[in-house]
Amino acid sequence: MTCPNCQRPYIENETICKHCGTPLGNADYKLVSSRYRHQNKARKKWPFVLLLLMFILIAGGIIGYQYYISLIKKNCQQTTNEIFTMAHEMDFSSVDPAYLPDFLKEDPYVSDYIEDQFQQLLDENVWTRILEAGDIEIDGEILCSEIIRSASYEITNITADYHSCTVTVHTENIDFTKIPETISRRFTETQEEDSLWDNMKKIFSYMFSSGDEEQDLSELLYEWYEEAREAAPKTDYTGTIVYGIVDGQWTLTSFDEDLIYNYYGLKEN
């Protein structure tokens, strides 16, 4: 007898060809029940089902976490924008004093602080004597409008995890602390252009001037201010505002004060 596949001879009692493994004519076949076949297929599917479930759970967790982080970043950006909206309006009265720089805790209306600081800068310069002689005061409302007109901020980066969020902010403005120095230099240059006698006459004229001459002095000072504002250097600063979980609630945890000072083109005292 020979194998029907490879044609090699085999003995009578052999059931499988030793050369090619083909079942021989006297092999005893037993049908496998359909129930066993279904159970075997089901067992083979279980690992794939488990892997699919694990993949869905992991992917869902990653997507859910990223969505949570995106909400944190969105809320932090919105809160930061609200802070600088208050800075633009020069009114921080709705903010908890614990989250404000020292100069805003007692008086959250920034316009008063700006006028006081600018007046202090004027007092440190020579040309303030001319202001006193001409009975001229700095118009705080106009000054604050100038500062706000020049102020700008930009959120450059936001990083967050499940318990904290850091917002990086860049602020720019004219360096208003340089304006009194520039005006003083302009006044000195004006004096040097004339003779000593002419300067003395001008000073006495300012000190005992009528209303018209006083107005002339005001116009001159305003002209100098405009020149100083245009020539003043820009000041820029990049700092951070940090939000975090305190007592189970999201709140402002760290505030870089220099961001606000620089936003107004001023220096911290």
Side-chain angles (χ1 to χ4, degrees):
M1 293 182 289
T2 59
C3 173
N5 182 47
C6 64
Q7 306 304 318
R8 292 180 180 272
Y10 67 91
I11 60 178
E12 184 177 356
N13 293 329
E14 289 181 324
T15 58
I16 296 177
C17 178
K18 295 181 179 178
H19 298 282
C20 66
T22 301
L24 302 175
N26 58 352
D28 185 18
Y29 294 97
K30 292 183 179 179
L31 294 177
V32 179
S33 68
S34 60
R35 178 180 177 185
Y36 176 81
R37 289 198 300 270
H38 288 309
Q39 287 178 347
N40 193 35
K41 289 181 180 178
R43 289 195 189 103
K44 291 181 179 179
K45 289 181 179 179
W46 267 111
F48 297 103
V49 173
L50 289 175
L51 285 174
L52 180 61
L53 287 175
M54 289 178 62
F55 175 78
I56 292 173
L57 289 175
I58 293 173
I62 293 174
I63 293 172
Y65 181 77
Q66 292 299 325
Y67 178 70
Y68 172 72
I69 294 298
S70 69
L71 288 180
I72 291 176
K73 290 182 176 181
K74 182 178 179 181
N75 290 334
C76 290
Q77 181 175 14
Q78 181 178 350
T79 304
T80 300
N81 287 331
E82 290 174 358
I83 288 174
F84 280 93
T85 297
M86 296 174 189
H88 186 82
E89 296 172 354
M90 296 188 170
D91 178 9
F92 289 84
S93 58
S94 61
V95 182
D96 188 334
Y99 304 140
L100 291 176
D102 291 336
F103 76 93
L104 291 175
K105 287 182 179 179
E106 296 182 1
D107 187 359
Y109 298 100
V110 191
S111 57
D112 296 337
Y113 171 82
I114 290 176
E115 291 180 37
D116 291 343
Q117 191 182 70
F118 200 78
Q119 189 60 51
Q120 181 180 341
L121 291 169
L122 297 179
D123 292 341
E124 295 172 355
N125 286 272
V126 178
W127 78 292
T128 190
R129 295 190 307 233
I130 302 301
L131 291 177
E132 295 173 354
D135 195 22
I136 297 175
E137 295 182 1
I138 294 295
D139 190 325
E141 186 175 344
I142 293 177
L143 174 64
C144 289
S145 297
E146 287 286 321
I147 286 176
I148 289 301
R149 186 162 69 92
S150 305
S152 66
Y153 79 95
E154 178 186 6
I155 296 176
T156 59
N157 189 38
I158 303 177
T159 58
D161 54 33
Y162 71 97
H163 61 69
S164 68
C165 178
T166 300
V167 182
T168 304
V169 183
H170 182 80
T171 56
E172 286 189 2
N173 205 333
I174 291 172
D175 189 350
F176 281 88
T177 62
K178 299 295 183 183
I179 290 180
E181 298 176 15
T182 306
I183 296 177
S184 295
R185 187 166 57 252
R186 181 74 178 86
F187 175 64
T188 302
E189 291 171 355
T190 302
Q191 285 184 309
E192 292 174 352
E193 291 173 0
D194 299 325
S195 66
L196 176 61
W197 173 246
D198 290 334
N199 286 321
M200 289 180 64
K201 285 195 299 183
K202 286 181 181 180
I203 293 174
F204 279 106
S205 175
Y206 292 153
M207 293 178 65
F208 303 102
S209 63
S210 64
D212 292 339
E213 291 181 351
E214 181 179 318
Q215 182 62 31
D216 292 340
L217 178 59
S218 298
E219 292 176 359
L220 179 62
L221 291 173
Y222 181 76
E223 177 185 338
W224 288 350
Y225 172 78
E226 284 293 304
E227 292 177 0
R229 188 177 65 81
E230 292 178 4
K234 280 277 188 177
T235 175
D236 60 275
Y237 181 79
T238 300
T240 58
I241 300 175
V242 182
Y243 305 89
I245 298 176
V246 177
D247 297 330
Q249 293 184 342
W250 279 91
T251 186
L252 182 65
T253 58
S254 175
F255 192 104
D256 193 336
E257 298 183 8
D258 287 334
L259 283 170
I260 294 296
Y261 285 108
N262 191 80
Y263 179 76
Y264 293 126
L266 302 172
K267 302 293 184 182
E268 185 177 359
N269 286 332

